[in-house]
Amino acid sequence: MISPFALVDKLAAENALSRGEMTLLLESLTPELAERLFERAREARHAVYGKDVFMRGLIEFTNYCRNDCLYCGIRKSNPDADRYRLSLEEILSCCDQGHELGFRTFVLQGGEDPHYTDERMVGIVRAIRSAHPDCAITLSLGERSVESYRRLYDAGAERYLLRHETRNEAHYASLHPESMSLRNRLECLRNLREIGYQVGCGFMVGSPDQTVECLVDDLMFIKEFKPHMVGIGPFIPHKDTPFADRPAGSLELTVFLLGILRLLDPRLLLPATTALGTISPTGRETGVLAGANVIMPNLSPVGVRNKYLLYDNKICTGDEAAECRFCIQRRMFSIGYDIAVTRGDYAGLTGDERQAV
Ligand code: 5AD
Ligand code: FES
């Protein structure tokens, strides 16, 4: 039987493994194997992106949500979530401040909040686009109609993050209420990519009932779907959810998966997430050393930061945007990486695609 070390080399050489090989790789996780994987992942990442880390300014503009995902602290049936919405002016002021700080991508993330109709969202996207024509706009607003996605794209949004959460039907059903379906989620992802967005999918690591088979399903799906971005982070319980007593996902498995994803597509935009920084004080640095190349510091106004709580003990809830920005820079310098003041597009895009905004 092929050794797990040889599997890492095969993955690095071919950017693919069979289901059986991927299963074996995941089941063979040891610190030594992880180190081999991270070395290969860093080589792949340096060949495409060098030692640049792209920063995205995250603006959490609403924590109202019509959904009831069992893992999430802002689910609609959590009466203790202190709800807020940011106005257009507040969002623009976050972007202005972010631009000063060197951000060239803004990520607008929110719960599925019916207040933000297509008209309102189009207005917000247009206003950001005209105030900051040199910046990319990423949306993360959950499931919407194909018309809605198209209108937002036409208004100037060019990237969309929608984690698929899990590619396993039974697992999807155990994490979500009956009103939600994996089928619809995947349909949204296909629509987004068809419209022309750079698309990000992703999943939590160590979510309740997740098995190795689920993770293999996720990785095989990503290989086939070929997203531009993949957001993964550990599951972390939130005290007011049905999963309050479930254990958090581990740093080790999350960064191992980051390394695998880097080798599945060396051009991927792969964030070291806030959740990773929450389960370990140097989680984001470890993530970058495992193959991640994106960091998304928070740009939300300090007054609302401690309200966008998807999970417990989230970091940076008391810090100003500038503090996070320079904290990230120090952290990246400390491991020999640089912050790039650029839009940070997917390396595979042609010049035309980049200019099509
Ligand atoms: N722990 C970690 N990640 C979470 N998310 C939601 N709730 C949690 C949690 N408890 C992730 C989901 C979602 C993204 C915005 O945050 O994957 O898609
Ligand atoms: Fe926010 Fe370090 S990134 S304080």
Side-chain angles (χ1 to χ4, degrees):
M1 195 169 62
I2 184 165
S3 87
F5 286 88
L7 282 179
V8 168
D9 292 341
K10 181 172 182 195
L11 177 59
E14 299 176 10
N15 306 125
L17 288 179
S18 69
R19 275 196 78 90
E21 290 169 335
M22 197 60 93
T23 308
L24 180 61
L25 183 62
L26 287 172
E27 285 172 343
S28 309
L29 172 50
T30 59
E32 296 73 31
L33 184 68
E35 209 27 70
R36 166 79 71 100
L37 175 72
F38 300 155
E39 272 170 36
R40 295 283 176 272
R42 285 194 293 266
E43 286 162 14
R45 171 261 164 81
H46 295 158
V48 181
Y49 292 107
K51 287 201 157 188
D52 284 346
V53 175
F54 300 130
M55 276 196 315
R56 322 289 197 203
L58 183 63
I59 303 169
E60 299 156 332
F61 70 98
T62 172
N63 71 351
Y64 281 85
C65 193
R66 67 186 168 108
N67 278 338
D68 220 10
C69 307
L70 277 75
Y71 44 83
C72 184
I74 63 168
R75 65 202 301 266
K76 75 168 173 207
S77 59
N78 177 9
D80 294 330
D82 186 2
R83 309 281 172 175
Y84 72 91
R85 293 183 174 113
L86 297 186
S87 66
L88 172 63
E89 293 68 34
E90 287 171 310
I91 294 172
L92 282 175
S93 131
C94 291
C95 295
D96 292 346
Q97 195 190 0
H99 195 267
E100 288 276 301
L101 290 169
F103 290 95
R104 294 296 177 268
T105 292
F106 302 116
V107 182
L108 293 184
Q109 184 173 95
E112 291 191 12
D113 179 355
H115 172 81
Y116 293 93
T117 57
D118 290 349
E119 287 70 26
R120 284 201 174 101
M121 278 318 303
V122 162
I124 292 169
V125 170
R126 284 223 178 97
I128 299 176
R129 164 76 37 250
S130 88
H132 299 291
D134 57 338
C135 293
I137 302 173
T138 304
L139 299 178
S140 179
L141 319 173
E143 298 180 10
R144 297 174 83 98
S145 69
V146 61
E147 295 75 34
S148 170
Y149 288 150
R150 194 168 293 121
R151 287 180 67 181
L152 294 168
Y153 183 80
D154 291 341
E158 58 239 286
R159 304 187 191 134
Y160 203 103
L161 306 175
L162 181 68
R163 290 190 179 180
H164 64 285
E165 310 297 357
T166 171
R167 181 58 187 79
N168 180 289
E169 290 276 359
H171 189 215
Y172 194 93
S174 84
L175 298 178
H176 298 98
E178 267 180 35
S179 55
M180 294 176 70
S181 75
L182 178 57
R183 205 172 50 83
N184 196 51
R185 178 72 44 144
L186 297 179
E187 179 71 23
C188 287
L189 282 166
R190 280 190 291 269
N191 289 339
L192 288 162
R193 107 159 294 155
E194 182 102 354
I195 291 168
Y197 285 97
Q198 293 178 51
V199 178
C201 62
F203 57 93
M204 292 178 289
V205 178
S207 58
D209 305 327
Q210 185 177 63
T211 60
V212 168
E213 194 189 342
C214 296
L215 291 172
V216 174
D217 289 341
D218 289 322
L219 294 168
M220 292 293 144
F221 163 66
I222 287 165
K223 184 67 199 169
E224 175 208 310
F225 182 67
K226 299 190 183 68
H228 304 87
M229 307 170 277
V230 177
I232 68 165
F235 161 75
I236 303 173
H238 184 291
K239 60 180 179 11
D240 303 323
T241 63
F243 292 153
D245 297 325
R246 300 300 192 101
S250 75
L251 174 73
E252 289 72 22
L253 184 56
T254 306
V255 295
F256 195 67
L257 285 157
L258 283 173
I260 293 177
L261 288 166
R262 170 59 60 210
L263 292 177
L264 277 179
D265 176 2
R267 299 179 303 176
L268 263 189
L269 295 164
L270 207 50
T273 55
T274 305
L276 193 55
T278 297
I279 51 161
S280 158
T282 52
R284 288 169 297 179
E285 291 89 323
T286 309
V288 169
L289 290 169
N293 67 333
V294 172
I295 296 230
M296 298 165 63
N298 205 314
L299 269 186
S300 309
V302 173
V304 304
R305 278 189 187 210
N306 59 356
K307 300 183 180 157
Y308 197 83
L309 299 179
L310 310 186
Y311 46 82
D312 289 336
N313 305 314
K314 185 181 175 197
I315 53 171
C316 302
T317 53
D319 299 289
E320 295 282 351
E323 289 177 71
C324 289
R325 177 355 182 152
F326 292 107
C327 167
I328 289 298
Q329 179 154 345
R330 275 195 307 279
R331 287 171 182 270
M332 294 302 108
F333 281 2
S334 78
I335 54 168
Y337 285 76
D338 297 318
I339 297 292
V341 179
T342 59
R343 291 165 41 109
D345 285 290
Y346 181 77
L349 292 187
T350 63
D352 282 354
E353 281 169 315
R354 253 192 302 274
Q355 277 156 25
V357 243

